[in-house]
Every structure is written in structure tokens, then in C-alpha cells.
Amino acid sequence: MPVMDEFKEEREAIKHAPFAKKLEYFKDYYLLPLIIVLVTAGIAGSFFYSVFSQKKAALYVSLVNFNLTEESTDGLTAPFAEERINPRREEIFLDYSSFISSDENELNFIKYGYEDEQRLFSMVMTGTIDLFITGEDVIDRYAEQDWFDDLRTVYDETLLAKLEREGRIKYRNGVPIAVNISDSELLKRYFYYNGKAEEEIYAGFPAGGQHRTLAVQFVQYLTGQE
């Protein structure tokens, strides 16, 4: 008898068989393939969900030698994000995992972190970090390595002149490299600086940052000068 005829007879027999027999037939011939299909579909669905639901960093801010004062930074970034980015697809990423000392003999400094410095260097070289916020001594350390862009290429003349009149600009060899944001009450509400005591806090713009306009706006937002 041809195989197809046998298959048809078997299906006809199962159609009129008791429920227990149908269940046994299903377990023998269909259960394992069904499980494989469901598991495969679940894995594929999870993969595509993670890919399409993952947010991209609209702005990457590195806060060096800072610790959180709040459980979450949402209150710091949410008002800014709601007005300038799509919070469903983008995020303001605050990286406060790095601790660096520019003077290992200075007792008030966090212990020098070689691995953290190498990671920061790699991120700056690849243009990952858009904004760098830390104390003056750490800014000086990396300014010597030419990490930061000349603020004359970052700000328009009017805004830069305003910041200069307010005494907010830090210079290196006559070149403006960072903005003093020590008076940012918003930043103080969520972070405290764990570096050198009474040190001035500055924001610098690493060369190669991908989101320069948003980084400038974020500095203005932190200082309440929008």
C-alpha cells in the first residue's frame, strides 16, 4: 500500500478514535516538534525585542569621582530628556563609575584607578563621551593630554563672552577648555564630589564627542542658564 494511503487511513482512524488515543497520538508525533517551534519562536522574539526596544544614548556624560546622593538619577535627567529627545528610544546616560586621582600622594583624593583611566581614554578616543564632568585637578590632568576641545569651537561668541564675564571659563595656555559648574544645585542634589575637598567642578567637551549641541544644552540646564 502506498505511504500516502497508509497516512490517510491512519488519520481517519485517529479522527474516530477515543480522546485518550488522540492524546497519545499527539504526544508521539506532534508534542516534541511543537515544543521546538515554541522555544525557537520565544528565543527569536526575545532577540528582536531586545534589539528594537534597546535605547540608544542621545548623550553620554562621564562624571568622574562622583557618588550618588539619590537612589536614581531619573529626576536629574527626565526634565531635560522630555524636552529634547525621544525618551522611548533615547536616553541621557550618566556614567559615574570612574574614580581617578591626579596625585596619588594627595590624601583627599580617590585612589588612582589605572583601569578606569584606560577605559576613559578608550571612550574618548572613540568619541563615546560627549561631556566630561569632574574636579579641576582631573580636568588639568587630561587637558595636558589634549582631551578637550577649545570652547571657541563649542560655544557661539555671545554665550562664550557671557561665561567669561561670569568667571566660569577655565583656561590652559590661553585656550578656554572647560566651564565651571560648581554652583549647580541640580547636580548637587543627585551627586556629591568624592575627590579633593573644596575643589571646583568643571565640564569639558572631549574632542570627537558625537552630540555636541545636546552636551552644551545640558551644561546650561545644569547651571540653570537655559
Side-chain angles (χ1 to χ4, degrees):
M1 179 182 295
V3 175
M4 288 302 298
D5 290 341
E6 291 183 5
F7 179 70
K8 288 179 181 179
E9 285 187 9
E10 186 176 7
R11 287 191 61 186
E12 191 66 25
I14 290 297
K15 185 185 300 184
H16 299 288
F19 177 77
K21 185 67 175 179
K22 292 179 179 179
L23 183 61
E24 183 180 350
Y25 182 82
F26 174 80
K27 289 180 179 178
D28 290 342
Y29 292 96
Y30 294 105
L31 182 58
L32 183 58
L34 179 61
I35 291 175
I36 294 174
V37 169
L38 291 176
V39 170
T40 303
I43 294 173
S46 177
F47 171 76
F48 284 112
Y49 177 80
S50 64
V51 169
F52 290 107
S53 66
Q54 186 175 11
K55 294 182 179 181
K56 68 176 183 178
L59 180 67
Y60 193 106
V61 183
S62 179
L63 298 110
V64 178
N65 290 356
F66 279 91
N67 288 102
L68 274 176
T69 60
E70 301 274 348
E71 292 183 0
S72 171
T73 62
D74 290 347
L76 173 62
T77 58
F80 181 83
E82 288 173 1
E83 293 184 5
R84 292 173 174 81
I85 66 174
N86 181 351
R88 293 184 178 181
R89 297 184 177 274
E90 302 173 310
E91 65 178 338
I92 308 298
F93 189 79
L94 305 181
D95 180 1
Y96 46 92
S97 62
S98 299
F99 295 91
I100 301 294
S101 169
S102 62
D103 184 354
E104 293 186 68
N105 297 317
E106 172 57 64
L107 297 180
N108 290 328
F109 267 85
I110 297 296
K111 184 179 179 181
Y112 175 77
Y114 177 77
E115 291 184 0
D116 282 349
E117 183 170 54
Q118 293 303 305
R119 181 172 65 87
L120 289 173
F121 176 78
S122 175
M123 294 174 75
V124 168
M125 292 301 101
T126 56
T128 301
I129 299 177
D130 301 301
L131 186 62
F132 197 89
I133 298 176
T134 188
E136 186 170 14
D137 279 0
V138 180
I139 288 287
D140 285 339
R141 174 187 181 88
Y142 294 128
E144 293 177 359
Q145 300 176 31
D146 295 322
W147 278 26
F148 305 114
D149 273 341
D150 184 335
L151 293 184
R152 290 171 295 189
T153 67
V154 176
Y155 288 100
D156 62 52
E157 293 183 4
T158 302
L159 184 52
L160 184 59
K162 178 177 180 294
L163 294 171
E164 288 176 331
R165 289 194 301 270
E166 295 172 351
R168 289 183 176 273
I169 302 299
K170 177 175 180 58
Y171 294 88
R172 178 176 179 269
N173 298 327
V175 177
I177 60 166
V179 181
N180 192 317
I181 60 170
S182 300
D183 61 350
S184 172
E185 295 300 325
L186 190 56
L187 184 62
K188 292 176 185 177
R189 188 183 309 165
Y190 291 90
F191 290 94
Y192 70 90
Y193 187 64
N194 204 15
K196 190 174 183 180
E198 306 301 322
E199 188 173 19
E200 295 292 300
I201 305 302
Y202 284 88
F205 302 87
Q210 302 298 305
H211 308 101
R212 183 53 48 80
T213 299
L214 206 59
V216 170
Q217 292 174 351
F218 192 68
V219 172
Q220 298 300 97
Y221 162 75
L222 289 178
T223 56
Q225 296 193 14
E226 293 182 287

